[in-house]
Amino acid sequence: MSVTVTDDQKATRRAKALVRTAKPETSSKKVVIKVKSPAKFRDVFNASPEDRIKIIRRGMPATEAKRIVQVLGLEHKFFYHALGLKTATVNRKIALSEQLSSDESERLLGVAKLIGQVEAIIAESGDPNDFNASEWISRWLREPLPAFGGTAPIELLDTMEGQAMVAEALARIQSGAYA
């Protein structure tokens, strides 16, 4: 008997593996939990909310903020400011190999989820081999949109409600509601 595993099930398994591989390291003052960085943004998008919550609560590595900035091709200060992160704090945590706080992690994971959403849209709608999702979303995030009253989507990323609005706008693009 053969069992078919869907892409959603594979993504959930990868997200659970991220959570399982988190290893606490003790220091003299506190416990620091190391979580592997989500390798694929689409895995973050397809992961279950419970798995994303576990990653958020444990804190994402500060280096993940730097990786996402590089993937998006944005200036660090601009991106961190858009997420409501303090550049000095992120840089200090990167230097010390620390985790971001849960609220910082939630906003950063939200951006990773948005990139994954675009990757999923392209995988379902076209040829993902000829499309750079992170490059496209980087440009799209900076363009003022009539749907947001002329506000650029990147200006909404500092809150979860704003990120939900951006995700909804992306879903509408997929459905053809925004041309």
Side-chain angles (χ1 to χ4, degrees):
M1 171 170 94
S2 70
V3 176
T4 304
V5 178
T6 67
D7 286 342
D8 287 346
Q9 290 169 326
K10 289 178 187 176
T12 298
R13 287 179 185 166
R14 284 189 291 266
K16 285 181 180 177
L18 288 173
V19 173
R20 277 195 307 271
T21 59
K23 297 177 184 174
E25 288 186 2
T26 57
S27 69
S28 60
K29 295 183 180 179
K30 61 183 178 178
V31 174
V32 177
I33 299 175
K34 292 200 173 188
V35 179
K36 282 188 177 179
S37 299
K40 295 182 181 179
F41 298 113
R42 196 163 160 204
D43 292 344
V44 173
F45 176 70
N46 288 325
S48 72
E50 294 83 6
D51 288 335
R52 286 192 298 265
I53 288 168
K54 288 176 186 174
I55 292 170
I56 290 165
R57 286 183 176 159
R58 289 190 170 134
M60 292 181 68
T63 54
E64 190 66 11
K66 186 175 182 178
R67 182 179 84 91
I68 291 174
V69 166
Q70 291 171 339
V71 165
L72 292 174
L74 297 173
E75 204 273 325
H76 289 84
K77 287 183 182 181
F78 174 73
F79 179 71
Y80 297 157
H81 177 73
L83 288 181
L85 303 175
K86 291 183 172 38
T87 302
T89 300
V90 175
N91 288 338
R92 179 182 50 79
K93 288 182 178 188
I94 289 171
L96 297 172
S97 299
E98 291 182 352
Q99 309 303 104
L100 296 172
S101 68
S102 59
D103 63 315
E104 294 165 336
S105 294
E106 185 169 38
R107 286 176 269 157
L108 188 64
L109 193 70
V111 172
K113 185 178 168 189
L114 291 171
I115 297 168
Q117 182 179 0
V118 172
E119 289 177 349
I121 289 169
I122 297 308
E124 293 170 12
S125 306
D127 182 7
N129 295 325
D130 295 331
F131 186 81
N132 185 328
S134 55
E135 185 179 296
W136 181 88
I137 198 165
S138 177
R139 282 193 318 270
W140 182 80
L141 285 171
R142 292 177 278 151
E143 293 293 321
L145 292 179
F148 300 137
T151 300
I154 198 159
E155 295 177 43
L156 303 171
L157 298 182
D158 61 333
T159 66
M160 296 317 300
E161 285 298 317
Q163 287 188 7
M165 290 171 57
V166 172
E168 185 179 315
L170 288 171
R172 287 184 180 157
I173 289 171
Q174 182 181 20
S175 71
Y178 291 133

